[in-house]
């Protein structure tokens, strides 16, 4: 039985969340390997090159994930770049998954750069005592 794109993403997200439970909230080569798998799929399945994500889609995806968790991923039919960014924001900001691109052994994709950008922006917000993480559409 062949999985659709959403099911594949959900499976890799589940692996990543389970990896954090096992390894803790620190970056590790194991966690980065799981990140690499997810980011590789996002780069292959979504057109991320040279685009700007639709902010409303990012917020809609993030809010849905905040409400329903990873179980919502297979049913999401978001086709644009906003899905990938909303997912990354939820994983890094809301779930607290560590992301350290220096531990990656793969050639970076656009999704890797996006994950790094989300992680750096979140670290910056944390240092500044940034705004609430709750975003409403």
């Amino acid at each position: 039985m062949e999985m659709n794109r959403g099911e594949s993403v959900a499976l890799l997200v589940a692996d990543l969340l389970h990896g954090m439970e096992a390894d803790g909230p620190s970056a590790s080569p194991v966690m980065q390997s799981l990140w690499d798998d997810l980011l590789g799929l996002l780069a292959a399945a979504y057109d991320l090159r040279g685009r700007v994500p639709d902010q409303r889609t990012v917020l809609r995806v993030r809010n849905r994930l905040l409400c329903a968790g990873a179980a919502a991923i297979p049913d999401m039919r978001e086709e644009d770049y906003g899905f990938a960014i909303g997912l990354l924001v939820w994983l890094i900001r809301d779930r607290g998954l560590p992301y350290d691109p220096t531990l990656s052994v793969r050639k970076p994709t656009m999704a890797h750069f996006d994950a790094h950008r989300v992680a750096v922006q979140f670290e910056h917000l944390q240092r500044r005592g940034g705004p609430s993480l709750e975003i409403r559409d």
Side-chain angles (χ1 to χ4, degrees):
M1 179 179 208
E2 191 172 313
M3 283 191 270
N4 69 33
R5 176 173 61 181
E7 291 169 333
S8 297
V9 170
L11 183 61
L12 291 173
V13 166
D15 288 347
L16 194 55
L17 292 171
H18 179 69
M20 188 180 91
E21 289 174 9
D23 277 9
S26 314
S28 71
V30 170
M31 285 296 294
Q32 191 58 42
S33 176
L34 294 169
W35 268 114
D36 286 342
D37 291 344
L38 175 62
L39 296 172
L41 176 63
L42 290 177
Y46 296 88
D47 183 13
L48 308 180
R49 295 177 306 265
R51 300 192 50 195
V52 175
D54 175 59
Q55 189 65 24
R56 294 188 63 76
T57 303
V58 172
L59 294 175
R60 187 173 46 253
V61 167
R62 183 174 178 217
N63 283 339
R64 187 153 179 216
L65 291 168
L66 283 169
C67 292
I73 294 171
D75 296 329
M76 289 187 181
R77 300 290 178 236
E78 309 298 345
E79 293 294 328
D80 75 5
Y81 188 20
F83 170 77
I85 298 300
L87 177 64
L88 293 174
V89 169
W90 178 71
L91 288 169
I92 293 169
R93 289 184 178 187
D94 302 312
R95 294 302 307 257
L97 268 70
Y99 179 77
D100 184 350
T102 64
L103 297 174
S104 181
V105 295
R106 295 188 188 171
K107 181 179 178 186
T109 64
M110 192 64 201
H112 285 79
F113 294 120
D114 287 327
H116 181 66
R117 183 173 48 85
V118 169
V120 168
Q121 288 173 345
F122 182 55
E123 289 169 12
H124 178 73
L125 284 174
Q126 284 183 311
R127 281 194 302 274
R128 292 187 61 209
S132 167
L133 294 179
E134 189 171 336
I135 295 178
R136 301 209 188 270
D137 189 286

